[in-house]
Amino acid sequence: MPPMDPIPRLSAPHALMRHMIDTPDFDTAAAAARIRKNAPEPLQEHWADIDGVLYPPKQAYHLISGQPRSEFNTHHALTQLRKCGFATSVYVPRSASDTEPAGDGPADSVETIDQSGPATTTTPGTWRVSDGSAVSFRDAISEWGAVAHDVLLETASRYNDFVTYKELAEKVQEISGIRTKSQMRNWIGKVLAVVVEECARRGEPPLTSLCVTQNQTVGDGYRFVLETAGESIPDDLDHHAAEARLKCYRAYSTDLPSNGGTPTLPPQVTASREAAARKAAAARPEIVELCPEHHTVLPRSGRCDYCA
């Protein structure tokens, strides 16, 4: 049995990088550079795609976190690496009947790789569809960002149109010819950050406001966009986004109303807010007026029947 890693004290860079994982400020490129300083160890069942080179997940996560490998398993490493923006294989635990009882300590659970789709233990997690070649996540984000800008520009040409994050993620992969097995939530924010920078460079209105969640709210993704652009965070993100979308329509829409249009919430958001308002109104107790002398409820006329 190979000796376990010693349990070192985390250096400042390691500790900082570990603390920043899963935050908008996490530097995926810096993490990749740290990992690439080391040769990849032999792969077992799982992998992490680090700039087109496959690394064992535990090795990769250990190199950026400084955490001893004896303290975490492959499942944890895969989860953390995806949070960092890296594509990885998929952890699929076998059923209890297929595995031996787990022993004490931090040893890995028995795992298998998801064989569906083009990614296998020998295929990178982010690849060019035309030839299957590996594409670094940094290059993929750059190309997806350029495509996303064009998709959102085209969306702005239709008054009150918008696109969901899921639709945008699929479009940028389809049009660019670059696909990934990394979950959308791990990279779509970085793609929109590219669009933010491009809009600022061109002096364009905020095209990222055209991107909404499945329930048509802008969600935390819009908050991240505003933070990336250095803007203050409003109390009502959806109304702020509606104002921003109107700027886009006024700049690019081919069917803008003659009055210049108005800020409009998406249909599902409007319906949800109206339903919430009705529910709140129904929950409020009815205010009644009483006769000060007889203490009876006054009719609509406002005159007490007993005082008349």
Side-chain angles (χ1 to χ4, degrees):
M1 177 181 295
M4 285 188 173
D5 294 338
I7 303 179
R9 296 177 64 87
L10 290 182
S11 64
H14 274 129
L16 179 61
M17 189 164 288
R18 180 174 168 186
H19 173 71
M20 293 178 65
I21 287 175
D22 201 23
T23 70
D25 295 325
F26 183 80
D27 191 337
T28 303
R34 183 183 296 275
I35 296 170
R36 289 298 306 277
K37 290 179 180 178
N38 300 265
E41 297 170 0
L43 293 176
Q44 300 297 321
E45 288 188 278
H46 287 277
W47 49 263
D49 181 0
I50 312 299
D51 280 352
V53 178
L54 301 186
Y55 280 74
K58 292 189 70 172
Q59 180 194 12
Y61 182 60
H62 164 71
L63 290 171
I64 61 173
S65 70
Q67 187 175 358
R69 300 187 206 190
S70 58
E71 294 184 358
F72 61 90
N73 61 21
T74 300
H75 186 195
H76 178 76
L78 289 168
T79 300
Q80 296 302 107
L81 289 166
R82 282 194 292 272
K83 288 181 179 179
C84 295
F86 297 115
T88 73
S89 58
V90 179
Y91 171 85
V92 182
R94 294 174 184 166
S95 64
S97 60
D98 294 334
T99 65
E100 295 294 329
D104 295 331
D108 289 348
S109 302
V110 177
E111 302 160 355
T112 182
I113 189 169
D114 180 1
Q115 298 289 352
S116 62
T120 69
T121 53
T122 58
T123 302
T126 303
W127 70 97
R128 198 171 297 278
V129 175
S130 59
D131 58 7
S133 61
V135 179
S136 73
F137 222 61
R138 180 168 46 195
D139 290 342
I141 293 296
S142 178
E143 292 198 40
W144 288 336
V147 173
H149 176 271
D150 292 343
V151 170
L152 292 173
L153 199 61
E154 193 265 340
T155 302
S157 69
R158 297 180 294 273
Y159 180 62
N160 277 346
D161 197 9
F162 49 82
V163 62
T164 66
Y165 292 107
K166 184 177 181 180
E167 290 169 340
L168 182 63
E170 176 56 31
K171 285 184 178 181
V172 299
Q173 291 181 88
E174 180 181 358
I175 295 172
S176 68
I178 298 174
R179 291 199 169 271
T180 184
K181 288 186 72 71
S182 180
Q183 294 183 23
M184 176 191 72
R185 64 182 178 84
N186 293 330
W187 54 268
I188 194 65
K190 296 179 176 65
V191 171
L192 292 177
V194 173
V195 178
V196 169
E197 293 177 359
E198 185 63 12
C199 288
R201 187 182 70 82
R202 299 187 183 193
E204 296 174 335
L207 293 172
T208 49
S209 61
L210 298 163
C211 204
V212 300
T213 64
Q214 291 299 109
N215 64 9
Q216 298 182 357
T217 63
V218 289
D220 288 336
Y222 189 64
R223 180 188 300 274
F224 173 66
V225 164
L226 294 178
E227 291 173 345
T228 300
E231 297 186 23
S232 58
I233 306 302
D235 293 332
D236 192 322
L237 289 173
D238 287 298
H239 273 298
H240 186 281
E243 295 277 0
R245 284 194 294 270
L246 182 59
K247 295 178 182 178
C248 298
Y249 302 139
R250 285 177 172 172
Y252 305 115
S253 176
T254 58
D255 57 351
L256 189 72
S258 58
N259 65 356
T262 57
T264 306
L265 294 174
Q268 286 188 34
V269 178
T270 299
S272 176
R273 293 193 175 200
E274 289 177 349
R278 288 194 298 270
K279 184 177 180 180
R284 286 195 296 267
E286 183 180 359
I287 300 176
V288 297
E289 293 187 34
L290 301 178
C291 172
E293 182 177 350
H294 297 98
H295 305 291
T296 56
V297 177
L298 293 176
R300 290 182 180 275
S301 64
R303 293 181 299 176
C304 175
D305 293 335
Y306 297 100
C307 292

